[in-house]
Amino acid sequence: MTKSKILMLYTGGTIGMMTDPETGGLKPFDFEHLLEQIPEIRLLDCEIETDSLDRPIDSSDMKPEHWLRLAKRVYDGYNQYDGFVILHGSDTMAYSSSALSFLIENLAKPVVFTGAQLPIGISRSDARENLLTALEIALARRKDNLAMIPEVAVYFEYALFRGNRIHKMSTEDFEAFQSLNYPKLAEAGVHIKYNHSFIEHPTKDSIKLYDQLDPNIGVLTVFPGMQESFIKPVIENPSIKGLLIRTFGSGNAPTDPWFLETVHEAIDRGVKVVNISQCSGGGVIQGKYEASRALKQMGVISSGDMTFEAGLTKMMFLLANFPTEDFAELYQTNLRGELSN
Ligand code: ASN
């Protein structure tokens, strides 16, 4: 029997960082260094091939161009490998895992993101467990030999999540991520227990790669006391095609007439305006309170229970790849498990 093959892609992040002796700050180090620290990888019954960004980065420097490159690398290697593990900084991992979930349609193999809160070289690091279990998950098969996780997922601190359902909640806990609106796909203890009914079914349709994202979007976080002079220019910016308004609670916003009028004008100009909550759990229900009724009436689109990261990357994805289709309808359709019906 031939051994399963995994492609491990290294983008950077704390997992492979070392302290720069000159500045005292943590900075990404090369992949060889990281692999040397985990000799246990060789004990796994599989072949692992590796690839890395030319220059590993702190994930704060992740851009849509990187997401397109990662998605293309998965697509190009799709027939050659049984699964993919992407090592990534935790700061923007939720954006990258969401973006990849949209860019690759009909995925039937695992794409598992992981990283760490402490660098691999530190004795208390969470990197070793995260990486080894992510590899095991990428290798896991069901009884019928299909991949156990045919989706983009994130493994961190004994839990596997759907990639477009997570949010980084803590800079301090090893349990950095949570998925408040969707159950964990698996939990790792002595055994890895898969939550079968919440895992996507592998599809028989062939995989499809989308190769565009439109970053011409704006984000506006509403706050008590926001001033017209600062906020209006953001909404009136002529180059934005989409605007995400981060609202309070279940989609509520200040009802000042200048604010509502400016949003209304943006919609009239053709800007796709989405209502997305500042809360991590629950979602937007426009019209539940008077404070969101006007937004609903003027055509602001509800993000439902999507995370901010999924809502933002979905907007970039739809604007670029479906410019002539009904944005509101597609945005409010569950495309990759990112939205509850
Ligand atoms: N700044 C790091 C990054 O996102 C944080 C981490 O990986 N824990 O690249």
Side-chain angles (χ1 to χ4, degrees), residues 88-321:
H88 193 292
S90 60
D91 287 348
T92 63
M93 193 183 289
Y95 292 89
S96 299
S97 54
S98 296
L100 258 72
S101 77
F102 294 117
L103 291 171
I104 309 170
E105 194 174 354
N106 298 330
L107 198 58
K109 294 184 179 181
V111 177
V112 185
F113 279 77
T114 196
Q117 291 283 65
L118 282 177
I120 188 87
I122 290 179
S123 53
R124 289 180 56 248
S125 174
D126 49 337
R128 184 169 286 101
E129 197 284 320
N130 283 350
L131 175 48
L132 290 169
T133 308
L135 283 165
E136 238 179 81
I137 289 169
L139 287 165
R141 307 212 145 234
R142 308 186 323 186
K143 284 202 187 85
D144 57 9
N145 210 30
L146 293 174
M148 185 70 85
I149 302 292
E151 52 176 300
V152 178
V154 167
Y155 180 75
F156 225 89
E157 191 63 5
Y158 304 110
L160 182 75
F161 305 99
R162 174 163 295 161
N164 54 32
R165 287 288 197 160
I166 51 150
H167 179 66
K168 184 172 178 182
M169 293 285 204
S170 175
T171 58
E172 172 68 18
D173 296 341
F174 283 126
E175 216 177 328
F177 293 96
Q178 282 192 41
S179 164
L180 293 181
N181 287 344
Y182 198 77
K184 289 173 185 159
L185 302 182
E187 280 179 82
V190 173
H191 301 286
I192 301 174
K193 291 195 182 126
Y194 291 94
N195 211 348
H196 296 284
S197 50
F198 293 102
I199 297 170
E200 287 278 332
H201 293 289
T203 152
K204 291 199 173 60
D205 299 324
S206 31
I207 177 178
K208 179 168 174 158
L209 175 74
Y210 293 87
D211 58 2
Q212 294 182 76
L213 289 166
D214 192 338
N216 291 303
I217 65 174
V219 174
L220 172 68
T221 303
V222 301
F223 58 94
M226 61 183 198
Q227 294 295 302
E228 184 173 354
S229 54
F230 292 130
I231 303 298
K232 245 182 134 176
V234 175
I235 307 175
E236 287 175 343
N237 185 317
S239 53
I240 56 167
K241 296 187 195 157
L243 175 69
L244 289 139
I245 304 182
R246 304 194 74 186
T247 53
F248 305 124
S250 54
N252 307 313
T255 53
D256 306 58
W258 68 262
F259 175 66
L260 296 175
E261 276 157 28
T262 317
V263 173
H264 203 161
E265 278 159 23
I267 293 174
D268 289 346
R269 282 201 309 278
V271 178
K272 313 298 179 204
V273 181
V274 163
N275 184 343
I276 196 152
S277 177
Q278 291 173 31
C279 296
S280 304
V284 166
I285 309 172
Q286 294 194 117
K288 179 174 176 191
Y289 291 91
E290 277 296 304
S292 64
R293 209 164 55 87
L295 297 178
K296 184 179 182 178
Q297 275 171 350
M298 69 178 79
V300 172
I301 300 157
S302 169
S303 60
D305 71 346
M306 276 187 271
T307 60
F308 176 68
E309 294 84 344
L312 178 129
T313 51
K314 189 174 185 177
M315 180 177 262
M316 290 184 179
F317 169 72
L318 293 181
L319 287 173
N321 297 289

